[in-house]
Amino acid sequence: MARLPGTRASGGPSMADVAKLAGVSGQTVSRVVNGNDRVTADTRLKVETAMRQLGYRANIAARALATGRFGTIGVVMFNLSAVLNVCILEAVVTGAQARGYSVSVAMVDGPTEKDIRAAVRGLTDRAVDGVIVIEARVLDTPQLHLPEEVPVVIADSRAAHRHPTFGMDEAAGVRAAVDHLLGLGHATVHHVAGPTGSNPAQRRRAAWQRLLKRSGRAVPPPAVGDWSPQSGYDAARRLLAGDDVSAVFAANDQMAAGVLRAAAELGRKVPDDLSVVGFDDLDFTPFLAPPLTTVRQDLAAVGRRCLEHLIARIEAPPGIEAAQPASRFVRPELVIRASTAPPRR
Protein backbone atom coordinates (compact mmCIF):
# COMPACT_ATOMS: atom_id res chain seq x y z
CA MET A 1 0.00 0.00 0.00
CA ALA A 2 1.45 3.37 -1.04
CA ARG A 3 2.34 5.82 1.69
CA LEU A 4 1.64 9.52 1.66
CA PRO A 5 4.86 11.50 1.19
CA GLY A 6 6.66 12.24 4.42
CA THR A 7 5.20 9.36 6.47
CA ARG A 8 7.31 6.70 8.11
CA ALA A 9 7.24 3.01 7.28
CA SER A 10 6.43 2.18 10.90
CA GLY A 11 4.53 4.14 13.53
CA GLY A 12 2.50 7.28 13.03
CA PRO A 13 3.63 10.45 11.27
CA SER A 14 6.01 12.69 13.17
CA MET A 15 6.22 16.45 13.54
CA ALA A 16 9.15 16.35 11.09
CA ASP A 17 6.91 14.61 8.55
CA VAL A 18 4.34 17.38 8.88
CA ALA A 19 7.02 20.06 8.51
CA LYS A 20 8.38 18.41 5.32
CA LEU A 21 4.95 18.11 3.69
CA ALA A 22 3.95 21.68 4.63
CA GLY A 23 7.32 23.11 3.60
CA VAL A 24 7.98 24.75 6.97
CA SER A 25 10.33 24.26 9.89
CA GLY A 26 9.73 21.85 12.74
CA GLN A 27 9.57 24.85 15.10
CA THR A 28 6.68 26.29 13.08
CA VAL A 29 4.78 23.00 13.32
CA SER A 30 5.42 22.99 17.07
CA ARG A 31 3.98 26.50 17.35
CA VAL A 32 0.82 25.49 15.50
CA VAL A 33 0.37 22.35 17.61
CA ASN A 34 0.82 24.32 20.84
CA GLY A 35 -1.52 27.15 19.83
CA ASN A 36 1.22 29.79 19.61
CA ASP A 37 -0.01 33.03 18.00
CA ARG A 38 3.35 33.72 16.30
CA VAL A 39 2.23 31.98 13.09
CA THR A 40 0.54 33.62 10.09
CA ALA A 41 -2.90 32.42 9.06
CA ASP A 42 -1.60 31.07 5.72
CA THR A 43 1.21 29.12 7.40
CA ARG A 44 -1.16 27.74 10.02
CA LEU A 45 -3.49 26.54 7.26
CA LYS A 46 -0.61 24.80 5.45
CA VAL A 47 0.45 23.02 8.62
CA GLU A 48 -3.09 22.01 9.60
CA THR A 49 -3.73 20.71 6.06
CA ALA A 50 -0.56 18.63 6.21
CA MET A 51 -1.55 17.29 9.62
CA ARG A 52 -4.93 16.17 8.26
CA GLN A 53 -3.38 14.57 5.18
CA LEU A 54 -0.90 12.61 7.25
CA GLY A 55 -3.30 11.80 10.06
CA TYR A 56 -0.91 13.44 12.50
CA ARG A 57 -2.01 13.56 16.14
CA ALA A 58 -0.13 15.69 18.65
CA ASN A 59 1.65 13.80 21.41
CA ILE A 60 -0.05 15.10 24.54
CA ALA A 61 2.82 14.20 26.82
CA ALA A 62 5.35 15.90 24.56
CA ARG A 63 3.17 19.00 24.30
CA ALA A 64 2.83 19.10 28.09
CA LEU A 65 6.63 18.96 28.43
CA ALA A 66 7.00 21.81 25.94
CA THR A 67 4.25 24.09 27.25
CA GLY A 68 3.58 22.88 30.79
CA ARG A 69 -0.09 22.33 29.80
CA PHE A 70 -2.21 19.43 28.55
CA GLY A 71 -4.78 21.57 26.71
CA THR A 72 -7.76 20.08 28.59
CA ILE A 73 -10.29 21.58 31.00
CA GLY A 74 -12.08 19.28 33.45
CA VAL A 75 -15.71 19.83 34.41
CA VAL A 76 -17.50 18.25 37.39
CA MET A 77 -21.32 18.14 37.11
CA PHE A 78 -24.17 16.73 39.19
CA ASN A 79 -26.99 16.51 36.69
CA LEU A 80 -26.83 16.54 32.90
CA SER A 81 -30.63 16.65 32.68
CA ALA A 82 -30.76 20.03 34.49
CA VAL A 83 -31.28 22.62 31.76
CA LEU A 84 -29.41 25.38 33.58
CA ASN A 85 -26.35 23.21 34.25
CA VAL A 86 -26.25 22.31 30.58
CA CYS A 87 -26.36 26.02 29.65
CA ILE A 88 -23.21 26.59 31.71
CA LEU A 89 -21.52 23.48 30.28
CA GLU A 90 -22.30 24.53 26.71
CA ALA A 91 -20.71 27.95 27.27
CA VAL A 92 -17.63 26.31 28.82
CA VAL A 93 -17.22 23.82 25.96
CA THR A 94 -17.74 26.45 23.24
CA GLY A 95 -15.33 28.89 24.89
CA ALA A 96 -12.73 26.23 25.60
CA GLN A 97 -12.70 25.02 22.00
CA ALA A 98 -12.26 28.60 20.79
CA ARG A 99 -9.18 28.89 23.03
CA GLY A 100 -7.71 25.59 21.87
CA TYR A 101 -8.72 23.48 24.88
CA SER A 102 -10.73 20.28 24.97
CA VAL A 103 -13.16 19.44 27.80
CA SER A 104 -13.42 16.30 29.93
CA VAL A 105 -16.62 15.87 32.00
CA ALA A 106 -17.01 13.86 35.22
CA MET A 107 -20.45 13.18 36.71
CA VAL A 108 -21.04 13.07 40.48
CA ASP A 109 -23.97 11.21 42.03
CA GLY A 110 -23.70 12.24 45.69
CA PRO A 111 -23.66 15.86 46.95
CA THR A 112 -20.77 15.38 49.35
CA GLU A 113 -17.25 16.76 49.47
CA LYS A 114 -15.88 13.21 49.30
CA ASP A 115 -17.65 12.61 45.98
CA ILE A 116 -16.49 15.90 44.49
CA ARG A 117 -12.90 15.35 45.65
CA ALA A 118 -12.93 11.91 44.02
CA ALA A 119 -14.24 13.39 40.75
CA VAL A 120 -11.61 16.15 40.73
CA ARG A 121 -8.89 13.61 41.53
CA GLY A 122 -10.07 11.44 38.65
CA LEU A 123 -9.87 14.39 36.27
CA THR A 124 -6.37 15.38 37.40
CA ASP A 125 -5.26 11.77 36.91
CA ARG A 126 -6.52 12.10 33.29
CA ALA A 127 -4.24 15.13 32.77
CA VAL A 128 -6.30 18.31 32.90
CA ASP A 129 -4.97 21.85 33.37
CA GLY A 130 -7.82 23.06 35.57
CA VAL A 131 -11.30 22.13 36.79
CA ILE A 132 -14.71 23.85 36.81
CA VAL A 133 -17.27 22.52 39.30
CA ILE A 134 -20.84 23.32 38.22
CA GLU A 135 -23.38 23.88 41.05
CA ALA A 136 -21.39 22.72 44.06
CA ARG A 137 -24.42 21.57 46.04
CA VAL A 138 -22.44 20.07 48.91
CA LEU A 139 -24.61 19.26 51.91
CA ASP A 140 -22.10 17.85 54.39
CA THR A 141 -19.65 20.77 54.63
CA PRO A 142 -19.87 24.55 54.25
CA GLN A 143 -16.76 24.79 52.09
CA LEU A 144 -14.97 22.63 49.55
CA HIS A 145 -11.37 21.54 50.16
CA LEU A 146 -10.26 20.10 46.86
CA PRO A 147 -6.93 18.75 45.59
CA GLU A 148 -4.43 21.56 44.95
CA GLU A 149 -2.65 20.07 41.93
CA VAL A 150 -4.64 22.19 39.48
CA PRO A 151 -6.64 25.44 39.76
CA VAL A 152 -10.36 25.05 40.49
CA VAL A 153 -13.20 27.48 39.71
CA ILE A 154 -16.77 26.94 40.93
CA ALA A 155 -20.01 27.89 39.15
CA ASP A 156 -22.42 28.54 42.00
CA SER A 157 -24.35 31.40 43.60
CA ARG A 158 -22.60 31.36 46.95
CA ALA A 159 -19.55 33.40 47.84
CA ALA A 160 -18.47 31.17 50.72
CA HIS A 161 -16.18 28.88 48.71
CA ARG A 162 -12.44 29.13 49.21
CA HIS A 163 -12.04 28.70 45.45
CA PRO A 164 -12.95 31.45 42.94
CA THR A 165 -16.72 31.37 42.43
CA PHE A 166 -18.94 32.79 39.71
CA GLY A 167 -22.74 32.66 39.69
CA MET A 168 -26.03 34.46 39.38
CA ASP A 169 -27.04 37.13 41.87
CA GLU A 170 -30.13 35.16 42.83
CA ALA A 171 -31.13 37.58 45.59
CA ALA A 172 -31.26 40.39 43.02
CA GLY A 173 -33.48 38.24 40.80
CA VAL A 174 -35.88 37.46 43.64
CA ARG A 175 -35.93 41.14 44.60
CA ALA A 176 -36.89 42.11 41.04
CA ALA A 177 -39.75 39.58 41.04
CA VAL A 178 -41.13 40.47 44.48
CA ASP A 179 -40.74 44.24 44.00
CA HIS A 180 -42.58 43.96 40.69
CA LEU A 181 -45.56 42.22 42.30
CA LEU A 182 -45.67 44.52 45.33
CA GLY A 183 -45.32 47.52 43.03
CA LEU A 184 -48.41 46.40 41.14
CA GLY A 185 -50.34 46.71 44.42
CA HIS A 186 -50.50 43.14 45.72
CA ALA A 187 -50.70 42.99 49.52
CA THR A 188 -48.16 40.17 49.71
CA VAL A 189 -46.56 37.48 47.54
CA HIS A 190 -47.04 33.75 48.02
CA HIS A 191 -44.16 31.45 47.13
CA VAL A 192 -43.92 28.04 45.49
CA ALA A 193 -40.46 27.00 46.70
CA GLY A 194 -38.06 24.41 45.35
CA PRO A 195 -37.05 21.31 47.34
CA THR A 196 -35.60 21.83 50.81
CA GLY A 197 -32.36 20.00 49.91
CA SER A 198 -31.53 22.40 47.07
CA ASN A 199 -29.19 25.34 47.67
CA PRO A 200 -30.76 27.51 44.92
CA ALA A 201 -34.22 26.82 46.36
CA GLN A 202 -33.05 27.74 49.87
CA ARG A 203 -31.47 30.98 48.62
CA ARG A 204 -34.57 32.04 46.68
CA ARG A 205 -36.87 31.21 49.58
CA ALA A 206 -34.70 33.12 52.08
CA ALA A 207 -34.53 36.17 49.78
CA TRP A 208 -38.32 36.13 49.34
CA GLN A 209 -38.84 36.02 53.11
CA ARG A 210 -36.35 38.84 53.76
CA LEU A 211 -37.96 41.09 51.17
CA LEU A 212 -41.48 40.65 52.51
CA LYS A 213 -40.33 41.27 56.09
CA ARG A 214 -38.35 44.34 55.02
CA SER A 215 -41.45 45.66 53.24
CA GLY A 216 -43.63 45.10 56.30
CA ARG A 217 -45.77 42.53 54.47
CA ALA A 218 -47.20 39.28 55.74
CA VAL A 219 -44.96 36.26 55.04
CA PRO A 220 -47.25 33.34 54.07
CA PRO A 221 -46.07 29.76 54.56
CA PRO A 222 -44.37 28.64 51.33
CA ALA A 223 -45.70 25.71 49.33
CA VAL A 224 -42.77 23.38 48.63
CA GLY A 225 -42.34 21.65 45.27
CA ASP A 226 -39.59 19.62 43.61
CA TRP A 227 -38.93 21.84 40.53
CA SER A 228 -41.37 19.85 38.36
CA PRO A 229 -44.56 21.25 36.72
CA GLN A 230 -46.57 18.61 38.61
CA SER A 231 -45.31 19.85 41.97
CA GLY A 232 -46.13 23.43 40.99
CA TYR A 233 -49.60 22.34 40.01
CA ASP A 234 -50.12 20.49 43.30
CA ALA A 235 -48.78 23.41 45.32
CA ALA A 236 -51.04 25.87 43.53
CA ARG A 237 -54.10 23.67 44.14
CA ARG A 238 -53.34 24.02 47.86
CA LEU A 239 -52.53 27.73 47.74
CA LEU A 240 -55.53 28.70 45.66
CA ALA A 241 -58.00 26.90 47.90
CA GLY A 242 -58.46 30.28 49.61
CA ASP A 243 -59.47 33.56 47.98
CA ASP A 244 -56.72 35.68 49.58
CA VAL A 245 -53.95 34.72 47.12
CA SER A 246 -53.47 37.32 44.38
CA ALA A 247 -49.76 36.90 43.55
CA VAL A 248 -47.47 33.86 43.34
CA PHE A 249 -43.71 33.79 42.83
CA ALA A 250 -42.50 30.32 41.77
CA ALA A 251 -38.86 29.35 42.25
CA ASN A 252 -38.56 28.12 38.66
CA ASP A 253 -40.46 28.26 35.38
CA GLN A 254 -41.53 24.60 35.39
CA MET A 255 -43.39 25.02 38.69
CA ALA A 256 -44.81 28.32 37.46
CA ALA A 257 -46.25 26.45 34.46
CA GLY A 258 -47.97 24.10 36.90
CA VAL A 259 -49.38 27.10 38.78
CA LEU A 260 -50.88 28.46 35.54
CA ARG A 261 -52.54 25.10 34.83
CA ALA A 262 -54.02 24.85 38.34
CA ALA A 263 -55.29 28.43 38.16
CA ALA A 264 -57.07 27.73 34.87
CA GLU A 265 -58.74 24.60 36.28
CA LEU A 266 -59.89 26.50 39.37
CA GLY A 267 -61.34 29.36 37.35
CA ARG A 268 -58.70 31.87 38.49
CA LYS A 269 -57.95 34.00 35.45
CA VAL A 270 -54.32 35.08 35.04
CA PRO A 271 -53.51 37.96 35.41
CA ASP A 272 -56.93 39.39 36.34
CA ASP A 273 -57.43 37.15 39.40
CA LEU A 274 -53.87 35.96 39.94
CA SER A 275 -50.43 37.25 38.99
CA VAL A 276 -47.66 34.65 38.48
CA VAL A 277 -43.89 35.13 38.19
CA GLY A 278 -41.35 32.38 37.45
CA PHE A 279 -37.57 32.16 37.57
CA ASP A 280 -35.06 31.17 34.81
CA ASP A 281 -36.77 32.33 31.55
CA LEU A 282 -36.61 28.97 29.81
CA ASP A 283 -37.40 28.85 26.11
CA PHE A 284 -41.04 27.78 26.57
CA THR A 285 -42.07 30.68 28.84
CA PRO A 286 -43.19 33.08 26.06
CA PHE A 287 -45.50 30.34 24.75
CA LEU A 288 -47.43 29.64 27.96
CA ALA A 289 -50.99 30.90 28.30
CA PRO A 290 -50.55 33.67 29.21
CA PRO A 291 -46.85 34.30 28.44
CA LEU A 292 -44.97 34.12 31.73
CA THR A 293 -43.33 37.04 33.53
CA THR A 294 -40.06 35.60 34.82
CA VAL A 295 -36.51 36.27 35.95
CA ARG A 296 -33.99 35.68 33.18
CA GLN A 297 -30.71 34.05 34.19
CA ASP A 298 -27.78 34.40 31.80
CA LEU A 299 -26.11 31.13 32.72
CA ALA A 300 -23.94 31.27 29.60
CA ALA A 301 -22.31 34.39 31.05
CA VAL A 302 -21.56 32.45 34.24
CA GLY A 303 -19.92 29.68 32.22
CA ARG A 304 -17.86 32.19 30.24
CA ARG A 305 -16.65 33.96 33.39
CA CYS A 306 -15.67 30.66 34.99
CA LEU A 307 -13.72 29.63 31.90
CA GLU A 308 -12.04 33.01 31.38
CA HIS A 309 -10.79 33.12 34.96
CA LEU A 310 -9.66 29.49 34.93
CA ILE A 311 -7.68 29.93 31.70
CA ALA A 312 -6.16 33.14 33.07
CA ARG A 313 -4.94 31.14 36.07
CA ILE A 314 -3.69 28.28 33.89
CA GLU A 315 -1.79 30.56 31.51
CA ALA A 316 -0.44 33.00 34.11
CA PRO A 317 3.39 33.03 34.21
CA PRO A 318 4.93 31.12 37.15
CA GLY A 319 4.72 33.13 40.35
CA ILE A 320 2.18 35.59 38.89
CA GLU A 321 -1.42 35.55 40.17
CA ALA A 322 -4.23 35.93 37.63
CA ALA A 323 -6.01 39.27 37.89
CA GLN A 324 -9.10 39.19 40.08
CA PRO A 325 -12.38 39.73 38.20
CA ALA A 326 -14.28 42.99 38.68
CA SER A 327 -17.47 41.07 39.51
CA ARG A 328 -18.11 37.43 40.33
CA PHE A 329 -21.89 37.56 39.97
CA VAL A 330 -24.18 38.11 37.00
CA ARG A 331 -27.30 40.16 37.68
CA PRO A 332 -30.54 38.56 36.43
CA GLU A 333 -33.15 40.50 34.46
CA LEU A 334 -36.91 40.58 35.04
CA VAL A 335 -38.79 39.90 31.80
CA ILE A 336 -42.32 41.27 32.10
CA ARG A 337 -44.97 39.49 30.05
CA ALA A 338 -48.72 39.00 30.34
CA SER A 339 -48.95 36.91 33.54
CA THR A 340 -48.82 39.88 35.95
CA ALA A 341 -51.13 42.83 36.53
CA PRO A 342 -52.51 44.96 39.40
CA PRO A 343 -54.96 43.08 41.64
CA ARG A 344 -58.68 43.58 41.25
CA ARG A 345 -60.08 45.98 43.82
Side-chain angles (χ1 to χ4, degrees), residues 15 54 78 86 227 230:
M15 197 174 289
L54 296 172
F78 294 89
V86 173
W227 299 127
Q230 181 67 54

Side-chain angles (χ1 to χ4, degrees), residues 198-249:
S198 164
N199 284 317
Q202 291 173 356
R203 290 191 292 270
R204 294 170 199 181
R205 175 174 172 173
W208 162 77
Q209 290 174 326
R210 283 196 307 271
L211 289 162
L212 290 183
K213 289 178 180 177
R214 190 177 303 163
S215 301
R217 309 301 179 97
V219 182
V224 179
D226 62 9
W227 299 127
S228 69
Q230 181 67 54
S231 69
Y233 172 86
D234 294 339
R237 297 283 302 194
R238 298 192 298 271
L239 282 177
L240 300 179
D243 295 329
D244 61 333
V245 178
S246 68
V248 172
F249 164 54

Side-chain angles (χ1 to χ4, degrees), residues 3 15 34 54 92 113 115 128 145 198 200 255 276 283 300:
R3 292 186 291 115
M15 197 174 289
N34 294 320
L54 296 172
V92 169
E113 180 173 351
D115 293 324
V128 299
H145 297 275
S198 164
M255 293 192 298
V276 180
D283 56 5

